[in-house]
Amino acid sequence: ELLGARTAPEKLTLDFLDQKASLIGWTQTRSTDMLAIELLALKCPPEKLWQSLIGKTFLEPFGLNAPNAMLAASPKSVARIKANNPELEKATFYTPRPDRPPSYVMLGTLLTPDRHKASAETAVALQMSPGQIGSPYYPSGKKLSSDPLSPLVGSKTMSLVGGGFVESFAFGGAAPTNPKVQSGGDDVWVGAPPVPFTLADAVGVSSFMPAPYFANSALLNMLNPRIHYWPVTSEKFPPSEPGGVFELADGGDLESSGLLPLLQRHVESVVWVANSYQGLNRTYPWRDFCGMKQGKRSWESFDPVAAGLIPQLVDKFGYGAEVSDSLNYLIYNTVFERFELLPVACKLWWSEQRGMPAVVRFKPTVLPNDRWGLEGGNQVDVLLVYLLNVEGFNTKLPKHTQDEIQLGEHGSLAHWPHYKTTLQNPPEVTSYTMRQVNLLSALGEHAVMSHSPLFKSFLRK
């Protein structure tokens, strides 16, 4: 019911694609426009509007949108929390399923102190898990400077950000009253948050892409999510360090793959699913770099941006400056050498040329990265699943489905397979049709099943 039954490309008629095949797919078809109007009518605070919309759209159908429900790592953690905090005896907690991997990280961004300008220099990754929320490192090992939106709303601030985590149920509360324990420990008493930081808050923050633009606008600034945040101190930055209200943003504004938090945890193997928003540039001279002939061009002259590779891939290989802008702060994401990108890019291109799903395995060496607190020197085994057009899948589809794809922007499968993230079906801002969702899901299934031996050997270890 959650993901739907197995499919075969030959059976994907338009009538079949129009059916509700899975619950998780159906949520992608809900009208966020209408739900937003309902929330506005209920006078939802502007800084909570997006999180509330995400909760109603994607979490409520699964019974995961209870007001003020708290987060915890496990039922055992809930029992401990309630024992230590009797006032929470009747509180609702959401915990991960015990039959799923215990670690789960949603990536947001601590964007900037409230009413201050946002930039790549102020933004820090906010890592949100059921058990704990925070940032495990001090970016570049220093305090961060932030300029006010205007002299009328404040002054330049120097903020310490990072250093560790606080349990999720307490995130958003005041720092410890005893500054000596701000460096952490067991059963540190902190202030209770005014309202719990919920699952809807975490999912909403992790998807609120326009926040950097809003942060730098005196008019739109009020729409950004906010939280009271304080850092975890240390010998390098001893207590007490004051906290304050910070604006929050999509983790993708800083790092959209989720790879760097895994590298911080010294993960040795990663399945990286890159849901690209564009195809490769077919007019780029790929054969000059990836052909079999002697004397092919070297990696130094390869331009991954002109080749059509997406930012979440190329920024890891030292091209972050080339793909950064006012909404994407990617300049500090270098973790692999530039020369390691071209072999990966060529495998992606050859996969598309052969009509096959782009699934590529590579094992680069991790570089030191002070901004993300990475020592480097280790290798990571990566299995990259990259969304590209797959002719081997398209040609197996029933004729009427193929004809619909050929209609391009005039058909019901416009932009296939790179649907627009907004206004795919105007005037709806974010929703898709069941037909669009089911066909893209089937393509993902095809990518995995056509490489099943590779996935099995990779995951088995």
Side-chain angles (χ1 to χ4, degrees):
E1 182 184 2
L2 183 65
L3 297 177
R6 290 274 303 275
T7 62
E10 298 84 355
K11 304 293 185 181
L12 299 177
T13 64
L14 295 178
D15 287 341
F16 180 89
L17 292 172
D18 288 337
Q19 299 175 23
K20 178 181 175 181
S22 69
L23 182 56
I24 198 168
W26 171 77
T27 63
Q28 314 303 310
T29 69
R30 304 190 73 196
S31 173
T32 52
D33 292 16
M34 295 305 300
L35 291 172
I37 292 172
E38 291 177 20
L39 290 167
L40 288 171
L42 294 172
K43 298 182 179 180
C44 178
E47 72 274 10
K48 296 286 288 185
L49 182 60
W50 180 253
Q51 302 94 294
S52 300
L53 182 61
I54 290 295
K56 288 190 69 67
T57 304
F58 302 112
L59 299 177
E60 200 166 90
F62 300 96
L64 294 173
N65 195 38
N68 296 327
M70 298 179 173
L71 299 173
S74 66
K76 184 178 179 180
S77 296
V78 173
R80 173 183 53 80
I81 291 168
K82 290 187 174 183
N84 290 339
N85 302 273
E87 65 274 18
L88 298 180
E89 178 59 34
K90 295 184 179 180
T92 299
F93 279 83
Y94 290 148
T95 60
R97 287 176 48 162
D99 58 341
R100 293 289 189 267
S103 297
Y104 183 78
V105 181
M106 290 171 277
L107 193 59
T109 299
L110 284 162
L111 188 58
T112 187
D114 189 29
R115 308 292 289 175
H116 282 67
K117 295 177 181 179
S119 71
E121 305 305 321
T122 67
V124 180
L126 178 67
Q127 301 180 22
M128 303 171 286
S129 296
Q132 57 189 18
I133 300 175
S135 183
Y137 62 99
Y138 302 121
S140 302
K142 64 182 182 180
K143 293 185 178 183
L144 304 180
S145 174
S146 307
D147 293 320
L149 275 178
S150 79
L152 300 178
V153 298
S155 58
K156 180 189 286 287
T157 63
M158 297 295 295
S159 305
L160 181 65
V161 180
F165 297 90
V166 65
E167 282 198 89
S168 301
F169 81 97
F171 184 64
T177 54
N178 179 3
K180 294 182 179 180
V181 298
Q182 192 174 344
S183 297
D186 295 329
D187 294 330
V188 174
W189 290 88
V190 302
V195 294
F197 190 82
T198 67
L199 182 60
D201 287 322
V203 179
V205 165
S206 73
S207 59
F208 196 62
M209 180 271 296
Y213 175 76
F214 291 172
N216 294 321
S217 165
L219 179 62
L220 298 174
N221 183 273
M222 63 179 180
L223 294 173
N224 278 351
R226 287 166 166 77
I227 196 71
H228 185 273
Y229 172 82
W230 47 270
V232 177
T233 54
S234 62
E235 289 185 5
K236 182 174 183 178
F237 296 104
S240 67
E241 283 287 345
V245 175
F246 275 70
E247 297 178 34
L248 305 178
D250 182 351
D253 292 327
L254 194 65
E255 202 282 277
S256 62
S257 73
L259 176 67
L260 299 190
L262 298 181
L263 296 181
Q264 289 176 333
R265 289 160 173 79
H266 304 286
V267 170
E268 296 179 352
S269 303
V270 175
V271 177
W272 177 355
V273 180
N275 292 318
S276 60
Y277 60 88
Q278 64 184 19
L280 301 178
N281 180 2
R282 296 184 179 182
T283 65
Y284 191 74
W286 283 98
R287 291 191 181 275
D288 291 351
F289 295 94
C290 306
M292 303 301 181
K293 64 182 180 180
Q294 293 292 323
K296 63 183 181 182
R297 296 168 67 179
S298 67
W299 66 268
E300 289 96 339
S301 57
F302 179 63
D303 185 343
V305 179
L309 294 171
I310 59 173
Q312 72 158 273
L313 177 63
V314 305
D315 67 340
K316 310 305 183 297
F317 293 86
Y319 295 92
E322 288 86 339
V323 291
S324 291
D325 55 33
S326 61
L327 289 177
N328 297 279
Y329 304 147
L330 312 180
I331 61 173
Y332 292 116
N333 293 349
T334 300
V335 287
F336 306 135
E337 293 280 8
R338 281 195 172 196
F339 72 83
E340 300 207 65
L341 176 58
L342 182 57
V344 176
C346 286
K347 290 177 181 178
L348 295 176
W349 179 73
W350 274 115
S351 294
E352 186 174 54
Q353 290 296 297
R354 293 164 179 161
M356 299 172 58
V359 180
V360 175
R361 187 174 185 174
F362 60 104
K363 196 171 184 177
T365 298
V366 180
L367 297 174
N369 185 312
D370 188 48
R371 184 74 180 188
W372 284 84
L374 297 175
E375 294 181 1
N378 58 302
Q379 285 191 309
V380 59
D381 197 2
V382 179
L383 188 61
L384 174 65
V385 185
Y386 192 102
L387 177 61
L388 290 174
N389 187 52
V390 181
E391 279 303 315
F393 174 83
N394 294 347
T395 56
K396 291 181 179 180
L397 296 169
K399 184 179 183 306
H400 289 310
T401 306
Q402 292 188 47
D403 291 343
E404 194 67 24
I405 291 175
Q406 292 301 317
L407 291 175
E409 294 189 13
H410 302 289
S412 61
L413 296 169
H415 314 294
W416 169 259
H418 300 101
Y419 300 142
K420 297 171 67 174
T421 52
T422 57
L423 297 175
Q424 168 70 18
N425 300 297
E428 291 288 344
V429 177
T430 63
S431 64
Y432 299 94
T433 67
M434 203 75 254
R435 178 179 295 185
Q436 293 163 351
V437 171
N438 285 336
L439 189 58
L440 190 58
S441 298
L443 178 59
E445 178 188 358
H446 176 75
V448 174
M449 297 309 298
S450 61
H451 289 85
S452 59
L454 176 57
F455 276 94
K456 288 178 181 178
S457 65
F458 188 86
L459 296 174
R460 188 177 293 121
K461 71 171 189 173

